[in-house]
Amino acid sequence: MKETTYKYISHFCSKLGEMTLASDREALTGLWFDGQKHFPRGLEEAEEDDFQPVFDDTRRWLDIYFTGREPDFKPQLRPVGTAFQQWVWQTLLRIPYGETTTYGAIAKLLASETDSSSMSAQAVGNAVGRNPILIIIPCHRVIGADGNLTGYAGGIKRKQALLQLEKADMLFGRL
């Protein structure tokens, strides 16, 4: 039998809608708004279990976050993706609470970290859009070069609400 990263699931009712949490028992492997773009397949095979310690940590993190405060901890995270996606997602974790950056700025940073002359902002955008752990891995803090809110799998209205909750600086913070 194939090993899955979604062994257990639980649910969380946020201010912005119902969310599904997934775990491999040791770490959070997914956090999605129900029905969002890129909602994963295979969750129906996962066991419903509200008592996983990582789910308790995640719900505590979300409770703090949705009061408009920055949590001072993160649950154990284990997003599954390609090496490039992992690299981009780790970079997203470096965007400070209440700040934003652009796809192009991330591409430029990643290029500099590999001594490459350039990196595709579109490739970065594709990886950002496949982030399986919304909010905690803050893909909502990435905006278009012109300041427009673009491409959030949970929906643009939710992205806007999350940035407002954080009182985000829309002047493209630095990574």
Side-chain angles (χ1 to χ4, degrees):
M1 184 171 157
K2 182 181 173 193
E3 193 70 18
T4 179
T5 60
Y6 310 132
K7 290 183 181 180
Y8 303 97
I9 60 170
S10 186
H11 302 279
F12 180 81
C13 182
S14 81
K15 291 180 178 183
L16 301 177
E18 293 291 323
M19 301 186 80
T20 297
L21 296 73
S23 166
D24 63 2
R25 183 182 297 272
E26 297 167 2
L28 189 69
T29 57
L31 177 62
W32 308 273
F33 285 105
D34 290 358
Q36 75 168 48
K37 185 177 181 181
H38 306 303
F39 196 80
R41 295 182 184 163
L43 291 180
E44 63 278 351
E45 298 172 15
E47 179 181 334
E48 186 89 25
D49 184 352
D50 292 332
F51 302 105
Q52 294 290 317
V54 71
F55 291 156
D56 292 338
D57 291 344
T58 302
R59 281 190 284 274
R60 189 165 55 95
W61 190 98
L62 290 167
D63 284 338
I64 293 167
Y65 179 85
F66 279 112
T67 66
R69 295 178 297 147
E70 179 181 11
D72 63 357
F73 70 98
K74 283 191 181 48
Q76 180 70 31
L77 304 177
R78 189 171 296 132
V80 176
T82 67
F84 181 74
Q85 289 171 330
Q86 295 282 346
W87 189 27
V88 171
W89 300 335
Q90 286 301 310
T91 304
L92 296 177
L93 288 167
R94 295 161 49 186
I95 305 170
Y97 179 92
E99 292 188 23
T100 58
T101 192
T102 64
Y103 299 96
I106 293 172
K108 186 175 179 180
L109 174 69
L110 295 177
S112 73
E113 290 180 354
T114 60
D115 294 324
S116 184
S117 61
S118 68
M119 171 83 54
S120 165
Q122 185 175 4
V124 167
N126 287 336
V128 169
R130 294 291 182 168
N131 171 19
I133 302 178
L134 293 188
I135 305 175
I136 298 173
I137 298 178
C139 55
H140 61 280
R141 296 180 189 151
V142 184
I143 61 178
D146 58 2
N148 284 331
L149 302 184
T150 61
Y152 187 61
I156 295 299
K157 287 184 179 182
R158 285 186 179 128
K159 182 173 189 166
Q160 182 177 28
L162 294 169
L163 292 172
Q164 288 174 340
L165 180 73
E166 292 183 20
K167 298 175 179 63
D169 174 6
M170 299 295 282
L171 298 176
F172 314 135
R174 299 174 195 211
L175 289 177

